[in-house]
Coordinates of all heavy atoms in Angstrom, one line a residue:
M65 N 0.9 -1.2 0.0 CA 0.0 0.0 0.0 C 0.9 1.2 0.0 O 1.9 1.3 0.8 CB -0.9 0.0 1.3 CG -2.0 0.9 1.2 SD -3.1 0.7 2.7 CE -4.6 0.1 2.0
N66 N 0.6 2.2 -0.9 CA 1.5 3.4 -0.9 C 1.1 4.4 0.2 O 0.1 4.2 0.9 CB 1.4 4.0 -2.3 CG 0.0 4.5 -2.7 OD1 -0.7 5.0 -1.8 ND2 -0.3 4.4 -3.9
A67 N 1.9 5.4 0.3 CA 1.7 6.4 1.4 C 0.4 7.1 1.3 O -0.3 7.4 2.3 CB 2.9 7.4 1.4
I68 N -0.1 7.4 0.1 CA -1.3 8.2 -0.1 C -2.5 7.3 0.4 O -3.4 7.7 1.1 CB -1.5 8.6 -1.5 CG1 -0.5 9.6 -1.9 CG2 -2.9 9.1 -1.8 CD1 -0.4 10.0 -3.4
S69 N -2.5 6.0 0.0 CA -3.5 5.1 0.5 C -3.5 4.9 2.0 O -4.6 4.9 2.6 CB -3.3 3.7 -0.2 OG -3.5 3.9 -1.6
M70 N -2.3 4.9 2.5 CA -2.2 4.7 4.0 C -2.8 6.0 4.7 O -3.5 5.8 5.7 CB -0.8 4.5 4.4 CG -0.2 3.2 3.9 SD -0.9 1.8 4.8 CE -0.2 2.0 6.4
N71 N -2.5 7.1 4.2 CA -3.0 8.4 4.7 C -4.5 8.4 4.6 O -5.2 8.8 5.6 CB -2.4 9.6 4.1 CG -1.0 9.8 4.6 OD1 -0.6 9.5 5.7 ND2 -0.1 10.4 3.7
N72 N -5.0 8.0 3.5 CA -6.5 8.0 3.3 C -7.2 7.0 4.3 O -8.2 7.3 4.9 CB -6.9 7.6 1.9 CG -6.6 8.7 0.9 OD1 -6.5 9.9 1.3 ND2 -6.4 8.4 -0.4
L73 N -6.5 5.9 4.5 CA -7.1 4.9 5.4 C -7.1 5.5 6.8 O -8.0 5.4 7.6 CB -6.3 3.6 5.4 CG -6.7 2.5 6.4 CD1 -8.1 2.1 6.2 CD2 -5.8 1.3 6.2
W74 N -5.9 6.1 7.2 CA -5.8 6.7 8.5 C -6.9 7.8 8.7 O -7.5 7.8 9.8 CB -4.4 7.3 8.7 CG -4.2 7.9 10.1 CD1 -4.0 9.2 10.3 CD2 -4.3 7.3 11.3 NE1 -3.9 9.4 11.7 CE2 -4.1 8.2 12.3 CE3 -4.5 6.0 11.7 CZ2 -4.1 8.0 13.7 CZ3 -4.5 5.7 13.1 CH2 -4.3 6.7 14.0
N75 N -7.1 8.6 7.7 CA -8.1 9.7 7.8 C -9.5 9.1 8.0 O -10.3 9.6 8.8 CB -8.0 10.6 6.6 CG -6.8 11.5 6.6 OD1 -6.3 11.8 7.7 ND2 -6.4 11.9 5.4
Y76 N -9.7 8.0 7.3 CA -11.0 7.3 7.4 C -11.2 6.8 8.8 O -12.3 7.0 9.4 CB -11.1 6.2 6.4 CG -12.3 5.3 6.6 CD1 -13.6 5.7 6.2 CD2 -12.2 4.0 7.2 CE1 -14.7 4.9 6.4 CE2 -13.3 3.2 7.4 CZ -14.6 3.7 7.0 OH -15.7 2.9 7.2
L77 N -10.2 6.1 9.3 CA -10.3 5.5 10.7 C -10.5 6.6 11.7 O -11.2 6.4 12.7 CB -9.1 4.7 11.0 CG -8.9 3.4 10.2 CD1 -7.6 2.7 10.5 CD2 -10.1 2.4 10.5
Q78 N -9.8 7.7 11.5 CA -9.9 8.8 12.5 C -11.4 9.4 12.5 O -11.8 9.9 13.5 CB -8.9 9.9 12.2 CG -7.5 9.6 12.6 CD -6.6 10.7 12.4 OE1 -6.6 11.3 11.3 NE2 -5.7 11.0 13.3
G79 N -12.0 9.3 11.3 CA -13.3 9.9 11.2 C -14.4 9.0 11.8 O -15.6 9.5 11.9
L80 N -14.1 7.8 12.1 CA -15.1 6.9 12.7 C -15.3 7.2 14.2 O -14.4 7.7 14.9 CB -14.6 5.4 12.6 CG -14.5 4.9 11.2 CD1 -13.9 3.5 11.2 CD2 -15.8 4.9 10.4
S81 N -16.4 7.0 14.7 CA -16.7 7.2 16.1 C -16.5 5.9 16.8 O -17.5 5.2 17.1 CB -18.2 7.7 16.3 OG -18.3 9.0 15.7
L82 N -15.3 5.6 17.1 CA -15.0 4.3 17.7 C -14.8 4.5 19.2 O -14.1 5.4 19.7 CB -13.7 3.7 17.2 CG -13.7 3.3 15.7 CD1 -12.3 2.9 15.3 CD2 -14.7 2.3 15.4
S83 N -15.4 3.6 20.0 CA -15.2 3.6 21.4 C -13.8 3.1 21.7 O -13.1 2.6 20.9 CB -16.3 2.7 22.1 OG -16.0 1.4 21.8
A84 N -13.4 3.3 23.0 CA -12.1 2.9 23.4 C -11.9 1.4 23.2 O -10.9 0.9 22.7 CB -11.8 3.3 24.8
S85 N -13.0 0.6 23.5 CA -12.9 -0.8 23.3 C -12.8 -1.2 21.9 O -12.1 -2.2 21.5 CB -14.1 -1.5 24.0 OG -15.3 -1.2 23.4
N86 N -13.5 -0.5 21.0 CA -13.5 -0.7 19.6 C -12.1 -0.4 19.0 O -11.5 -1.1 18.2 CB -14.5 0.1 18.8 CG -15.9 -0.5 19.0 OD1 -16.1 -1.6 19.4 ND2 -16.9 0.4 18.7
Q87 N -11.5 0.7 19.5 CA -10.1 1.0 19.1 C -9.1 0.0 19.5 O -8.2 -0.4 18.7 CB -9.7 2.4 19.7 CG -10.5 3.6 19.1 CD -10.1 4.9 19.7 OE1 -9.2 4.9 20.6 NE2 -10.8 5.9 19.3
R88 N -9.3 -0.5 20.7 CA -8.4 -1.6 21.3 C -8.6 -2.8 20.4 O -7.6 -3.5 20.1 CB -8.8 -1.8 22.7 CG -7.7 -2.6 23.5 CD -8.0 -2.7 25.0 NE -8.3 -1.4 25.6 CZ -9.5 -1.0 26.0 NH1 -10.5 -1.8 25.9 NH2 -9.6 0.1 26.6
W89 N -9.8 -3.2 20.1 CA -10.1 -4.4 19.3 C -9.4 -4.3 17.9 O -8.7 -5.2 17.5 CB -11.6 -4.6 19.1 CG -11.9 -5.8 18.3 CD1 -12.1 -7.1 18.7 CD2 -12.1 -5.8 16.8 NE1 -12.4 -7.9 17.6 CE2 -12.4 -7.1 16.5 CE3 -12.0 -4.8 15.9 CZ2 -12.6 -7.5 15.1 CZ3 -12.2 -5.2 14.5 CH2 -12.5 -6.5 14.2
L90 N -9.6 -3.1 17.3 CA -8.9 -2.9 16.0 C -7.4 -3.0 16.1 O -6.8 -3.6 15.2 CB -9.4 -1.5 15.4 CG -8.8 -1.1 14.1 CD1 -9.2 -2.1 13.0 CD2 -9.3 0.3 13.7
A91 N -6.9 -2.3 17.1 CA -5.4 -2.4 17.3 C -4.9 -3.8 17.4 O -3.9 -4.2 16.9 CB -5.0 -1.5 18.4
E92 N -5.6 -4.6 18.2 CA -5.2 -6.0 18.5 C -5.2 -6.8 17.2 O -4.3 -7.6 16.9 CB -6.1 -6.6 19.5 CG -5.8 -6.1 20.9 CD -6.9 -6.6 21.9 OE1 -7.8 -7.3 21.5 OE2 -6.7 -6.2 23.1
R93 N -6.3 -6.6 16.4 CA -6.4 -7.3 15.1 C -5.2 -6.9 14.2 O -4.6 -7.8 13.5 CB -7.7 -7.0 14.4 CG -9.0 -7.4 15.1 CD -9.2 -8.9 15.3 NE -8.7 -9.5 16.5 CZ -9.1 -9.2 17.8 NH1 -9.9 -8.2 18.0 NH2 -8.6 -9.8 18.8
L94 N -4.9 -5.6 14.1 CA -3.8 -5.2 13.2 C -2.5 -5.7 13.7 O -1.7 -6.2 12.9 CB -3.8 -3.7 13.2 CG -4.9 -3.0 12.4 CD1 -4.9 -1.5 12.7 CD2 -4.9 -3.3 11.0
L95 N -2.3 -5.8 15.0 CA -1.0 -6.3 15.5 C -0.9 -7.8 15.3 O 0.2 -8.3 15.0 CB -0.9 -5.9 17.0 CG -0.6 -4.5 17.3 CD1 -0.6 -4.2 18.8 CD2 0.8 -4.1 16.8
E96 N -2.0 -8.5 15.5 CA -2.0 -9.9 15.2 C -1.5 -10.2 13.8 O -0.7 -11.1 13.6 CB -3.4 -10.6 15.4 CG -3.8 -10.8 16.8 CD -5.3 -11.3 16.9 OE1 -5.8 -11.6 15.9 OE2 -5.8 -11.4 18.0
N97 N -2.1 -9.5 12.9 CA -1.8 -9.7 11.5 C -0.3 -9.4 11.2 O 0.4 -10.1 10.5 CB -2.7 -8.9 10.6 CG -2.6 -9.3 9.1 OD1 -2.4 -10.5 8.8 ND2 -2.8 -8.4 8.2
A98 N 0.2 -8.3 11.8 CA 1.6 -7.8 11.6 C 2.5 -8.9 12.2 O 3.6 -9.2 11.6 CB 1.8 -6.5 12.3
E99 N 2.2 -9.5 13.4 CA 3.0 -10.5 14.0 C 3.1 -11.7 13.1 O 4.2 -12.3 13.0 CB 2.6 -10.8 15.4 CG 2.8 -9.7 16.3 CD 2.1 -9.9 17.7 OE1 1.4 -10.9 17.8 OE2 2.3 -9.0 18.6
K100 N 2.0 -12.1 12.5 CA 2.0 -13.3 11.6 C 2.9 -13.0 10.4 O 3.7 -13.9 10.0 CB 0.6 -13.6 11.1 CG -0.3 -14.2 12.2 CD -1.7 -14.4 11.6 CE -2.7 -14.8 12.7 NZ -4.1 -14.9 12.2
I101 N 2.8 -11.9 9.8 CA 3.7 -11.5 8.7 C 5.1 -11.5 9.1 O 6.0 -12.0 8.4 CB 3.3 -10.2 8.1 CG1 1.9 -10.3 7.4 CG2 4.3 -9.7 7.1 CD1 1.3 -9.0 7.0
D102 N 5.5 -10.9 10.3 CA 6.8 -10.9 10.7 C 7.4 -12.3 11.0 O 8.5 -12.6 10.6 CB 7.0 -10.1 12.0 CG 6.8 -8.6 11.8 OD1 6.9 -8.1 10.7 OD2 6.6 -7.9 12.8
D103 N 6.6 -13.2 11.5 CA 7.0 -14.5 11.8 C 7.4 -15.3 10.5 O 8.3 -16.1 10.5 CB 6.0 -15.3 12.6 CG 5.9 -14.8 14.0 OD1 6.8 -14.1 14.5 OD2 4.9 -15.1 14.7
E104 N 6.6 -15.0 9.4 CA 6.8 -15.7 8.2 C 8.0 -15.2 7.4 O 8.6 -15.9 6.7 CB 5.6 -15.5 7.3 CG 4.3 -16.2 7.9 CD 3.1 -15.9 7.1 OE1 3.2 -15.2 6.1 OE2 2.0 -16.3 7.5
C105 N 8.4 -13.9 7.6 CA 9.4 -13.3 6.8 C 10.8 -13.2 7.4 O 11.7 -12.9 6.7 CB 9.0 -11.8 6.5 SG 7.4 -11.7 5.5
V106 N 10.9 -13.5 8.6 CA 12.2 -13.3 9.3 C 13.1 -14.5 9.1 O 12.7 -15.6 9.2 CB 12.0 -13.1 10.8 CG1 13.3 -13.0 11.6 CG2 11.1 -11.8 11.1
M107 N 14.3 -14.2 8.7 CA 15.4 -15.2 8.6 C 16.2 -15.2 9.9 O 16.4 -14.2 10.5 CB 16.3 -14.9 7.4 CG 15.6 -14.9 6.1 SD 16.7 -14.4 4.7 CE 18.0 -15.6 4.8
T108 N 16.6 -16.4 10.2 CA 17.5 -16.5 11.4 C 18.9 -16.0 11.1 O 19.3 -16.0 9.9 CB 17.6 -18.0 11.9 OG1 18.2 -18.7 10.9 CG2 16.2 -18.5 12.2
D109 N 19.7 -15.7 12.1 CA 21.1 -15.3 11.9 C 21.8 -16.4 11.1 O 22.6 -16.1 10.2 CB 21.7 -15.0 13.2 CG 21.2 -13.8 13.8 OD1 20.5 -13.0 13.2 OD2 21.6 -13.6 15.0
E110 N 21.5 -17.6 11.5 CA 22.2 -18.8 10.8 C 21.9 -18.8 9.3 O 22.8 -19.1 8.5 CB 21.8 -20.1 11.5 CG 22.6 -21.3 11.0 CD 22.2 -22.5 11.8 OE1 22.2 -22.5 13.0 OE2 21.9 -23.6 11.2
E111 N 20.6 -18.6 9.0 CA 20.2 -18.6 7.6 C 20.9 -17.5 6.8 O 21.4 -17.7 5.6 CB 18.7 -18.5 7.4 CG 18.0 -19.7 7.9 CD 16.5 -19.5 7.9 OE1 16.0 -18.4 8.2 OE2 15.7 -20.5 7.6
I112 N 21.0 -16.3 7.4 CA 21.7 -15.2 6.8 C 23.2 -15.5 6.6 O 23.7 -15.3 5.5 CB 21.5 -13.9 7.6 CG1 20.0 -13.5 7.6 CG2 22.4 -12.8 7.1 CD1 19.7 -12.4 8.6
R113 N 23.8 -16.0 7.6 CA 25.3 -16.4 7.5 C 25.5 -17.4 6.4 O 26.5 -17.3 5.6 CB 25.8 -16.9 8.8 CG 26.0 -15.8 9.8 CD 26.7 -16.3 11.1 NE 26.6 -15.4 12.2 CZ 25.7 -15.6 13.2 NH1 25.0 -16.7 13.3 NH2 25.6 -14.7 14.1
A114 N 24.6 -18.4 6.3 CA 24.8 -19.5 5.3 C 24.6 -18.9 3.9 O 25.4 -19.2 3.0 CB 23.7 -20.6 5.6
G115 N 23.7 -18.0 3.8 CA 23.5 -17.4 2.5 C 24.6 -16.5 2.0 O 25.1 -16.5 0.9
I116 N 25.2 -15.8 3.0 CA 26.4 -15.0 2.7 C 27.6 -15.9 2.3 O 28.3 -15.6 1.4 CB 26.7 -14.1 3.9 CG1 25.6 -13.0 4.0 CG2 28.1 -13.4 3.7 CD1 25.7 -12.2 5.3
A117 N 27.7 -17.0 3.1 CA 28.8 -17.9 2.8 C 28.7 -18.5 1.4 O 29.7 -18.6 0.6 CB 28.9 -19.0 3.8
V118 N 27.5 -18.9 1.0 CA 27.3 -19.4 -0.4 C 27.6 -18.3 -1.4 O 28.3 -18.6 -2.4 CB 25.8 -19.9 -0.5 CG1 25.5 -20.2 -2.0 CG2 25.6 -21.1 0.3
S119 N 27.2 -17.1 -1.1 CA 27.4 -16.0 -2.1 C 28.9 -15.8 -2.3 O 29.4 -15.6 -3.4 CB 26.8 -14.7 -1.6 OG 25.4 -14.9 -1.5
F120 N 29.7 -15.7 -1.2 CA 31.1 -15.5 -1.3 C 31.8 -16.7 -2.0 O 32.8 -16.5 -2.8 CB 31.8 -15.3 0.1 CG 31.6 -13.9 0.5 CD1 30.9 -13.6 1.7 CD2 32.1 -12.8 -0.2 CE1 30.7 -12.3 2.1 CE2 32.0 -11.5 0.2 CZ 31.3 -11.2 1.4
Q121 N 31.3 -17.9 -1.7 CA 31.9 -19.1 -2.4 C 31.7 -19.0 -3.9 O 32.5 -19.3 -4.7 CB 31.3 -20.4 -1.9 CG 31.8 -21.6 -2.5 CD 33.3 -21.8 -2.4 OE1 33.9 -21.5 -1.3 NE2 34.0 -22.3 -3.4
Q122 N 30.4 -18.6 -4.3 CA 30.1 -18.5 -5.7 C 30.9 -17.3 -6.4 O 31.4 -17.5 -7.5 CB 28.6 -18.2 -5.9 CG 27.8 -19.4 -5.6 CD 26.3 -19.1 -5.7 OE1 25.9 -18.0 -5.8 NE2 25.5 -20.2 -5.6
L123 N 31.1 -16.2 -5.7 CA 32.0 -15.2 -6.2 C 33.4 -15.6 -6.4 O 34.0 -15.3 -7.4 CB 31.9 -14.0 -5.2 CG 32.7 -12.7 -5.6 CD1 32.2 -12.2 -6.9 CD2 32.6 -11.7 -4.5
K124 N 33.9 -16.4 -5.5 CA 35.3 -16.9 -5.6 C 35.4 -17.8 -6.8 O 36.3 -17.8 -7.6 CB 35.6 -17.7 -4.3 CG 37.0 -18.3 -4.3 CD 37.3 -19.1 -3.1 CE 38.6 -19.8 -3.1 NZ 38.9 -20.7 -2.0
E125 N 34.3 -18.7 -7.1 CA 34.3 -19.5 -8.2 C 34.3 -18.7 -9.5 O 34.9 -19.1 -10.5 CB 33.1 -20.5 -8.1 CG 33.2 -21.5 -7.0 CD 32.0 -22.3 -6.8 OE1 31.0 -22.1 -7.6 OE2 32.0 -23.2 -5.9
V126 N 33.5 -17.6 -9.5 CA 33.5 -16.8 -10.7 C 34.9 -16.2 -11.0 O 35.4 -16.2 -12.1 CB 32.5 -15.6 -10.5 CG1 32.6 -14.6 -11.6 CG2 31.1 -16.2 -10.5
R127 N 35.6 -15.7 -10.0 CA 36.9 -15.1 -10.1 C 37.9 -16.2 -10.6 O 38.8 -15.8 -11.3 CB 37.3 -14.5 -8.8 CG 36.6 -13.2 -8.5 CD 37.1 -12.6 -7.3 NE 36.4 -11.3 -7.0 CZ 36.3 -10.7 -5.9 NH1 36.9 -11.2 -4.8 NH2 35.7 -9.6 -5.7
E128 N 37.7 -17.4 -10.2 CA 38.6 -18.5 -10.6 C 38.3 -19.1 -11.9 O 39.0 -19.9 -12.5 CB 38.6 -19.6 -9.5 CG 39.2 -19.2 -8.2 CD 39.0 -20.2 -7.1 OE1 38.2 -21.2 -7.3 OE2 39.6 -20.1 -6.0
G129 N 37.2 -18.6 -12.5 CA 36.8 -19.1 -13.8 C 36.0 -20.4 -13.8 O 35.8 -21.1 -14.8
K130 N 35.6 -20.9 -12.6 CA 34.9 -22.2 -12.4 C 33.4 -22.0 -12.6 O 32.7 -23.0 -12.6 CB 35.2 -22.8 -11.1 CG 36.7 -23.1 -10.9 CD 36.9 -23.6 -9.5 CE 38.4 -24.0 -9.2 NZ 38.6 -24.4 -7.8
R131 N 32.9 -20.8 -12.6 CA 31.5 -20.5 -12.6 C 31.3 -19.3 -13.6 O 32.1 -18.4 -13.6 CB 31.0 -20.2 -11.3 CG 29.5 -19.8 -11.2 CD 29.0 -19.4 -9.8 NE 29.0 -20.6 -8.9 CZ 27.9 -21.3 -8.8 NH1 26.8 -21.0 -9.4 NH2 27.9 -22.3 -7.9
T132 N 30.3 -19.4 -14.4 CA 29.9 -18.3 -15.3 C 28.7 -17.6 -14.8 O 27.9 -18.1 -14.0 CB 29.6 -18.8 -16.8 OG1 28.5 -19.7 -16.7 CG2 30.9 -19.6 -17.3
T133 N 28.6 -16.3 -15.2 CA 27.5 -15.5 -14.8 C 26.8 -15.0 -16.1 O 27.2 -15.1 -17.2 CB 28.0 -14.3 -14.0 OG1 28.8 -13.5 -14.9 CG2 28.7 -14.7 -12.8
R134 N 25.6 -14.5 -15.9 CA 24.8 -13.9 -17.0 C 25.1 -12.5 -17.1 O 25.6 -11.8 -16.2 CB 23.3 -14.1 -16.7 CG 22.8 -15.5 -16.6 CD 21.4 -15.6 -16.5 NE 20.9 -15.1 -15.2 CZ 19.7 -14.9 -14.8 NH1 18.7 -15.2 -15.7 NH2 19.3 -14.5 -13.6
K135 N 24.8 -11.9 -18.3 CA 25.0 -10.5 -18.5 C 23.9 -9.8 -17.8 O 22.8 -10.3 -17.5 CB 24.9 -10.2 -20.0 CG 26.0 -10.8 -20.8 CD 25.8 -10.4 -22.3 CE 27.0 -11.0 -23.1 NZ 26.9 -10.6 -24.5
V136 N 24.2 -8.6 -17.4 CA 23.3 -7.8 -16.6 C 22.0 -7.6 -17.4 O 20.9 -7.6 -16.8 CB 23.9 -6.4 -16.3 CG1 22.9 -5.4 -15.7 CG2 25.1 -6.5 -15.4
E137 N 22.1 -7.4 -18.7 CA 20.9 -7.2 -19.5 C 19.9 -8.4 -19.4 O 18.7 -8.2 -19.4 CB 21.3 -6.9 -21.0 CG 22.0 -5.6 -21.2 CD 23.5 -5.7 -20.9 OE1 24.0 -6.8 -20.7 OE2 24.1 -4.6 -20.9
E138 N 20.5 -9.6 -19.4 CA 19.6 -10.8 -19.3 C 18.9 -10.8 -18.0 O 17.7 -11.2 -17.9 CB 20.5 -12.1 -19.4 CG 21.1 -12.3 -20.8 CD 22.0 -13.5 -20.8 OE1 21.9 -14.3 -19.9 OE2 22.8 -13.6 -21.8
L139 N 19.6 -10.5 -16.9 CA 19.0 -10.4 -15.6 C 17.9 -9.4 -15.5 O 16.8 -9.7 -15.0 CB 20.1 -10.1 -14.5 CG 19.6 -10.0 -13.1 CD1 19.0 -11.3 -12.6 CD2 20.7 -9.6 -12.2
L140 N 18.1 -8.2 -16.1 CA 17.1 -7.2 -16.1 C 15.9 -7.6 -16.9 O 14.8 -7.3 -16.5 CB 17.7 -5.8 -16.6 CG 18.7 -5.2 -15.6 CD1 19.4 -4.0 -16.3 CD2 18.1 -4.8 -14.3
N141 N 16.1 -8.2 -18.0 CA 15.0 -8.7 -18.8 C 14.2 -9.7 -18.1 O 12.9 -9.8 -18.3 CB 15.5 -9.2 -20.2 CG 16.0 -8.1 -21.1 OD1 15.6 -7.0 -21.0 ND2 16.9 -8.5 -22.0
E142 N 14.8 -10.5 -17.3 CA 14.0 -11.5 -16.5 C 13.1 -10.9 -15.5 O 12.1 -11.4 -15.2 CB 15.0 -12.4 -15.8 CG 14.4 -13.6 -15.1 CD 15.4 -14.5 -14.5 OE1 16.4 -14.9 -15.2 OE2 15.2 -14.9 -13.3
L143 N 13.6 -9.7 -14.9 CA 12.8 -9.1 -13.9 C 11.6 -8.4 -14.6 O 10.6 -8.3 -14.1 CB 13.6 -8.0 -13.2 CG 14.8 -8.5 -12.4 CD1 15.6 -7.4 -11.8 CD2 14.4 -9.4 -11.3

C-alpha cells in the first residue's frame, strides 16, 4: 500500500466514532496480522550467514573461472 492510500485509510479511521474498546479491538487485530507476517518473513542469523557464505563461495568460483554468470541485460530482462 502506498503512502497516499495509507494516509487515506488513517483519515477514514480517525473519522469513525470508535469507542475505546473498539479502538483496542482494531489495534489488536492489526497487531496480530503484523506479527504473523513478521514470523513468516524473518530469517534466522544462521540462515543469513549461510546465504552470505554461499554467495562468497560463488563469487570466488566466478573469479577463478569455475563458474559463469549472466549478462546484466539478461538479468534485467528476466525481472
